[in-house]
């Protein structure tokens, strides 16, 4: 691929920093090409001072919307033509910023819902491993419902002591066999409820859960978002 596109990808990151770095690596790996010049121009704004999104959604912390708006402004002024947000929970705040950032936002969760609808064999039921904020906000419930895909969730104990324990551990820099085992157990609980695929619905989760640890396809929203950006830049396809 020779990149003649005028698209400049703006990555609104820092939520968390390791997930932002991982997302950019996936964007590079997803882009076809054999030279530097084949890759996409990218601006990264990684702001780890953005308040915790789950705490905000649960009423325990400040609203991150002003920080997200500021990040969107930084990206726009730096020349970005489209925004990607590699944080699932932050998408709960996209409706608050979409009309104010002055750039289109490629909606990661919408892209995942569409991706699931195209998988073969057809995915009728998906499981979700995500932050409590993402679960409570109903983000995946809403989008998967549009495509007729049923969603199953961890019970309260698994959500707190397996999923959130690992999210916090990865944000603190811990990735080991123990974190993998916790997430694999949580994923297994979802497949026992009928999940034909598991969504790694927090960008920290793929960092702690390899695909081989799950018995069904593990869908990585960051990778799906990267693929959508490459598709948009190379074909002009902006549909969600």
């Amino acid at each position: 691929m020779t990149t003649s596109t005028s698209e400049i990808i703006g990555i609104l990151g820092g939520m968390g920093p390791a997930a932002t770095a991982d997302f950019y690596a996936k964007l590079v790996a997803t882009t076809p090409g054999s030279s530097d010049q084949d890759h996409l121009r990218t601006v990264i704004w990684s702001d780890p001072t953005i308040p915790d999104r789950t705490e905000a959604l649960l009423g325990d912390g400040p609203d991150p919307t002003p920080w997200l708006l500021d990040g969107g402004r930084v990206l726009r002024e730096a020349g970005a033509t489209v925004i990607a947000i590699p944080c699932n929970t932050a998408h709960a705040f996209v409706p608050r910023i979409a009309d104010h950032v002055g750039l289109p936002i490629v909606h990661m969760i919408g892209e995942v819902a569409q991706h699931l609808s195209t998988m073969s064999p057809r995915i009728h039921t998906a499981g979700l491993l995500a932050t409590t904020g993402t679960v409570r906000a109903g983000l995946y419930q809403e989008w998967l419902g549009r495509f007729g895909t049923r969603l199953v969730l961890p019970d309260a104990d698994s959500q707190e002591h397996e999923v959130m324990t690992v999210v916090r551990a990865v944000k603190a820099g811990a990735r080991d066999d123990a974190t993998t085992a916790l997430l694999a157990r949580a994923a297994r609980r979802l497949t026992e409820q009928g999940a034909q695929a598991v969504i790694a619905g927090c960008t920290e989760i793929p960092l702690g859960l390899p695909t081989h640890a799950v018995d069904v396809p593990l869908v990585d929203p960051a990778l799906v978002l990267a693929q959508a950006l490459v598709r948009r830049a190379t074909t002009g396809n902006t549909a969600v």
Side-chain angles (χ1 to χ4, degrees):
M1 181 192 80
T2 298
T3 303
S4 59
T5 179
S6 59
E7 196 86 281
I8 300 176
I9 309 299
I11 299 174
L12 182 51
M15 304 171 282
T20 300
D22 179 63
F23 173 70
Y24 181 60
K26 287 169 179 169
L27 181 64
V28 171
T30 300
T31 304
S34 57
S35 69
D36 294 347
Q37 290 72 29
D38 290 332
H39 285 269
L40 300 170
R41 292 180 293 172
T42 307
V43 179
I44 301 173
W45 175 249
S46 182
D47 181 6
T49 70
I50 298 173
D52 187 276
R53 284 64 59 198
T54 287
E55 289 183 2
L57 290 169
L58 299 181
D60 297 327
D63 181 356
T65 300
W67 283 261
L68 296 172
L69 286 169
D70 183 61
R73 177 188 58 77
V74 171
L75 293 171
R76 186 178 69 250
E77 292 178 356
T81 58
V82 62
I83 290 178
I85 308 174
C87 172
N88 290 264
T89 316
H91 280 70
F93 302 92
V94 164
R96 305 184 192 181
I97 69 171
D99 293 335
H100 304 287
V101 294
L103 296 173
I105 298 172
V106 178
H107 200 289
M108 180 162 64
I109 297 173
E111 293 291 345
V112 170
Q114 184 179 56
H115 173 76
L116 283 167
S117 74
T118 64
M119 289 176 66
S120 182
R122 177 79 166 88
I123 303 297
H124 298 284
T125 302
L128 177 65
L129 298 176
T131 66
T132 303
T134 295
V135 172
R136 295 275 184 89
L139 299 172
Y140 277 97
Q141 293 91 318
E142 175 190 350
W143 275 96
L144 266 63
R146 297 185 189 187
F147 289 86
T149 306
R150 174 174 169 258
L151 189 68
V152 292
L153 303 168
D155 61 29
D157 184 68
S158 175
Q159 178 66 32
E160 180 57 31
H161 296 110
E162 293 171 347
V163 181
M164 289 304 296
T165 292
V166 173
V167 169
R168 296 183 188 108
V170 172
K171 285 182 178 292
R175 286 181 248 171
D176 53 27
D177 290 344
T179 54
T180 297
L182 284 173
L183 285 178
R185 189 183 311 151
R188 189 164 56 250
R189 296 182 198 277
L190 297 176
T191 60
E192 289 170 354
Q193 294 184 61
Q196 300 161 286
V198 171
I199 302 165
C202 169
T203 40
E204 272 75 32
I205 287 175
L207 301 178
L209 183 65
T211 56
H212 64 75
V214 185
D215 293 333
V216 297
L218 182 66
V219 177
D220 179 354
L223 180 59
V224 172
L225 177 60
Q227 292 166 340
L229 290 165
V230 171
R231 189 166 60 247
R232 175 190 172 98
T234 56
T235 70
N237 182 359
T238 60
V240 171

